[in-house]
Amino acid sequence: MMNLTIFGTGACLLQRSKMLVPLVLLTLCVITQANGNASVKKFPENFLLGAATSAYQIEGGWNADGKGESVWDYYLHKQPDIVKDFTNGDIAADSYHLYERDVEILKELGAKAYRFSISWTRILPDGTTNFINPHGIAYYSRLIDLLLADNILPLVTLYHWDLPIAFSNNGGWLNETTGDRFGEYARIVFNVFGDKVKHWITVNEPSIHCSFMYEYGIHPPLKKSPGVGFYECGRNLLLAHAKAYHIYDVEFRKNQGGKVGLSLDAEWPIAASDSLDDLEAVKDYLAFSVGQYMDPIFKGDYPERLVNRIAAASRRQGCTSSRLQPFTDKQKAYINGTADFVGINHYFSLYVYRNESVRGYETPSFLGDTELGTFQDPSWPQSAFTRMREYAPGLYCLLMYLKDTYHNPAVYITENGFPMTPAEDLNDDKKAHYLRAYLKAVLDAKADGSNCQGYFFWSLVDGLEWASGLQKYKFGLYQVDYNDPSRKRTARKSALVYKEIIHSGTIDFSYNPDPYGDKCFKNT
């Protein structure tokens, strides 16, 4: 065994093992159980165990009570084939009308917190401050009040991908002024709800958002700009996040006493061998994923290896300058330090490698800049989504990496989940096992010093999974019957398992509840 310091701790080791390919030494990130059996560890009383959703994915009521159009409303009506099953978010789980039931579900679970997002166009129908919709404010006020009445902490996301259509038509996140409008929206939301909401997330998953919009063009506005738009979008989202942070810091923090962060998608990369190329590929993967956003906030600028790799690829492709526009000194100072906590959305791990097959891209692209390939171990338990396989040690190693690389920031796991197929019904045993395994990894990380302060399972109820639609992937702790106009919610086995974990503060892998026989849940 050899220690690899880039993994951030001696507890994450490289273990030589023959897997997948004969005679190839692959690596596993494993947990050193230096602190005993995790099954007897307990979550601290102040650790937030909850669930997460987002507005467009579950609310419905797409034009109810004066709500304006988001890019998803507009494009899915105009081009319904964007979504594989031709569904959309017009009704979804109908949480706009069934929010009381959703809060009741959280209470049934015993959840301590609920992460949800506010729809920008439900508050500002055209995205600007020209008109503030009182019905939108009333809806979120009722939701927040119900949560607080049941001692459920609201963790509120300002932007979860539902950009007002007017801004998309003006360049969207390729236009830096969109961040100015975002700041104006944030100010109104802080002002209206900040006396009750103390945890704010500015932006959800900027990397995936920018990638699907501009690298691959599969999410609205369906614009492909490989290796260019992806970085510009990310840059502008960082500036928008910083703007919202400073608005809160200067205008609201003293009186409201809340915290502001952002949520980043983060897989854990494992070197496919102990070759120098593969070990460097791991470092590059981390630089291009969490580093692209966390380094400017916690270290003052983009990671050096990210800057150098994009510059080198740009020169090779005949560009006169790097495709990654640098921050000015003023912008660096503006972004630096703008997170009271970091939200991490983690679903899976993967192996990374670098060889001649992934070198020398002749046209700009994100993959060409990274010059690395990925794959997964087929023995890892498979979800309904091909790339989402269970490998819980990856979450432990990620938390250790964040601890050691960024001076142990406060972290919330703001998304972690395992999609099942509709055919798997209520007995979602694989999801229940995934939930327990990843929570065990969180306990292990906390025992080894991680400043992880909460965990939010994705998701509370089944929702629209963006371009995959309503029917293919079922992430919910609660099943939603989309063939029933009343959108009946029914607890799955994973919900009962999570309830027991929240109640006991411990993880019991032998607990085997019957979702068809439990009478404590109001399945309506």
Side-chain angles (χ1 to χ4, degrees):
M1 314 250 317
M2 66 177 182
N3 197 342
L4 182 61
T5 57
I6 64 164
F7 285 155
T9 176
C12 284
L13 302 171
L14 291 178
Q15 180 180 10
R16 296 188 176 191
S17 172
K18 290 183 178 180
M19 298 172 53
L20 304 179
V21 183
L23 304 180
V24 175
L25 294 177
L26 300 177
T27 58
L28 282 173
C29 179
V30 296
I31 296 175
T32 300
Q33 298 289 350
N35 295 282
N37 189 337
S39 65
V40 301
K41 295 174 187 172
K42 294 192 70 172
F43 288 102
E45 284 295 320
N46 61 352
F47 190 86
L48 297 181
L49 287 167
T53 62
S54 86
Y56 185 74
Q57 292 178 272
I58 69 162
E59 277 185 5
W62 78 274
N63 62 350
D65 299 324
K67 178 185 173 294
E69 269 191 316
S70 74
V71 290
W72 285 91
D73 297 319
Y74 177 83
Y75 278 94
L76 267 58
H77 293 156
K78 184 179 179 181
Q79 296 176 243
D81 60 344
I82 292 170
V83 175
K84 293 177 182 178
D85 61 8
F86 292 86
T87 57
N88 58 43
D90 286 4
I91 302 174
D94 202 20
S95 288
Y96 184 70
H97 299 103
L98 301 176
Y99 66 94
E100 291 173 301
R101 174 61 185 136
D102 290 342
V103 175
E104 189 176 38
I105 285 171
L106 289 158
K107 189 175 180 181
E108 289 173 358
L109 290 171
K112 296 181 180 179
Y114 179 42
R115 180 198 171 204
F116 64 94
S117 74
I118 288 177
S119 169
W120 189 338
T121 56
R122 202 176 291 284
I123 301 297
L124 303 177
D126 69 356
T128 74
T129 57
N130 290 336
F131 175 70
I132 302 172
N133 182 15
H135 300 291
I137 289 174
Y139 167 68
Y140 292 112
S141 293
R142 292 192 298 269
L143 173 59
I144 292 166
D145 287 345
L146 274 179
L147 292 168
L148 293 175
D150 287 324
N151 296 312
I152 300 168
L153 188 78
L155 192 84
V156 178
T157 304
L158 293 173
Y159 179 71
H160 199 125
W161 301 5
D162 45 357
L163 185 70
I165 186 60
F167 302 147
S168 179
N169 295 336
N170 194 35
W173 288 111
L174 301 184
N175 186 336
E176 193 173 313
T177 64
T178 300
D180 296 329
R181 306 291 81 76
F182 177 70
E184 294 165 358
Y185 156 64
R187 177 181 285 110
I188 288 171
V189 175
F190 292 150
N191 184 57
V192 173
F193 303 115
D195 59 332
K196 298 176 181 178
V197 175
K198 304 304 177 185
H199 291 75
W200 297 100
I201 292 170
T202 56
V203 176
N204 180 75
E205 294 182 343
S207 182
I208 288 182
H209 189 39
C210 294
S211 175
F212 285 177
M213 284 192 296
Y214 300 120
E215 184 74 12
Y216 304 111
I218 58 176
H219 281 188
L222 311 177
K223 304 290 186 185
K224 286 188 178 183
S225 178
V228 179
F230 170 76
Y231 298 121
E232 190 62 16
C233 171
R235 183 178 183 278
N236 288 333
L237 278 169
L238 267 171
L239 289 167
H241 156 77
K243 182 173 289 291
Y245 181 93
H246 285 296
I247 287 171
Y248 189 85
D249 198 45
V250 172
E251 301 177 29
F252 299 100
R253 188 185 299 274
K254 182 178 179 180
N255 292 329
Q256 295 181 356
K259 300 177 181 179
V260 179
L262 77 170
S263 281
L264 305 175
D265 54 287
E267 301 84 36
W268 180 248
I270 309 166
S273 78
D274 58 0
S275 73
L276 181 60
D277 273 347
D278 289 354
L279 299 181
E280 286 296 312
V282 167
K283 295 180 183 180
D284 289 336
Y285 191 99
L286 290 165
F288 274 82
S289 54
V290 294
Q292 184 177 348
Y293 297 93
M294 288 193 68
D295 276 38
I297 292 173
F298 288 91
K299 297 184 177 183
D301 200 0
Y302 286 127
E304 184 178 2
R305 63 175 53 241
L306 172 80
V307 173
N308 292 342
R309 290 201 66 85
I310 298 171
S314 299
R315 288 193 299 271
R316 185 176 68 243
Q317 293 155 358
C319 302
T320 56
S321 60
S322 176
R323 288 179 276 101
L324 178 67
Q325 183 180 350
F327 292 114
T328 66
D329 288 343
K330 184 177 180 181
Q331 288 170 331
K332 292 176 188 176
Y334 190 67
I335 295 170
N336 193 17
T338 57
D340 303 315
F341 63 88
V342 176
I344 293 295
N345 297 354
H346 174 82
Y347 289 90
F348 59 92
S349 298
L350 37 72
Y351 286 96
V352 297
Y353 65 90
R354 177 170 291 142
N355 57 32
E356 291 307 310
S357 71
V358 294
R359 295 185 189 275
Y361 280 66
E362 295 181 0
T363 57
S365 72
F366 169 77
L367 285 177
D369 293 337
T370 64
E371 290 190 308
L372 56 83
T374 65
F375 63 92
Q376 290 179 307
D377 184 342
S379 72
W380 294 345
Q382 173 71 64
S383 73
F385 180 52
T386 304
R387 284 178 65 84
M388 288 188 181
R389 294 176 177 269
E390 180 189 317
Y391 183 68
L395 177 55
Y396 170 88
C397 290
L398 176 62
L399 287 171
M400 291 294 97
Y401 175 79
L402 297 175
K403 168 183 174 288
D404 292 346
T405 305
Y406 299 103
H407 305 292
N408 207 14
V411 172
Y412 294 92
I413 304 302
T414 42
E415 290 182 27
N416 177 243
F418 197 74
M420 309 301 290
T421 66
E424 286 164 295
D425 201 28
L426 303 183
N427 277 308
D428 55 345
D429 291 284
K430 290 170 73 175
K431 185 191 294 180
H433 186 277
Y434 177 99
L435 168 65
R436 285 184 277 214
Y438 279 77
L439 279 172
K440 176 181 177 292
V442 172
L443 276 177
D444 286 329
K446 284 193 66 63
D448 286 340
S450 168
N451 192 17
C452 184
Q453 299 183 3
Y455 172 96
F456 295 80
F457 191 79
W458 185 272
S459 62
L460 180 65
V461 296
D462 292 334
L464 181 95
E465 290 304 322
W466 306 109
S468 296
L470 286 167
Q471 301 298 337
K472 189 171 184 180
Y473 301 129
K474 302 298 183 180
F475 278 90
L477 294 165
Y478 278 67
Q479 176 193 78
V480 176
D481 185 351
Y482 284 105
N483 295 316
D484 183 346
S486 69
R487 294 301 196 260
K488 178 182 177 182
R489 280 107 157 103
T490 306
R492 293 189 169 102
K493 178 180 284 189
S494 57
L496 277 64
V497 166
Y498 198 23
K499 176 185 178 182
E500 172 61 21
I501 292 171
I502 295 172
H503 174 73
S504 67
T506 61
I507 303 167
D508 180 0
F509 278 87
S510 66
Y511 179 57
N512 188 33
D514 179 6
Y516 294 96
D518 192 284
K519 304 302 181 184
C520 297
F521 284 69
K522 177 185 172 185
N523 289 324
T524 59

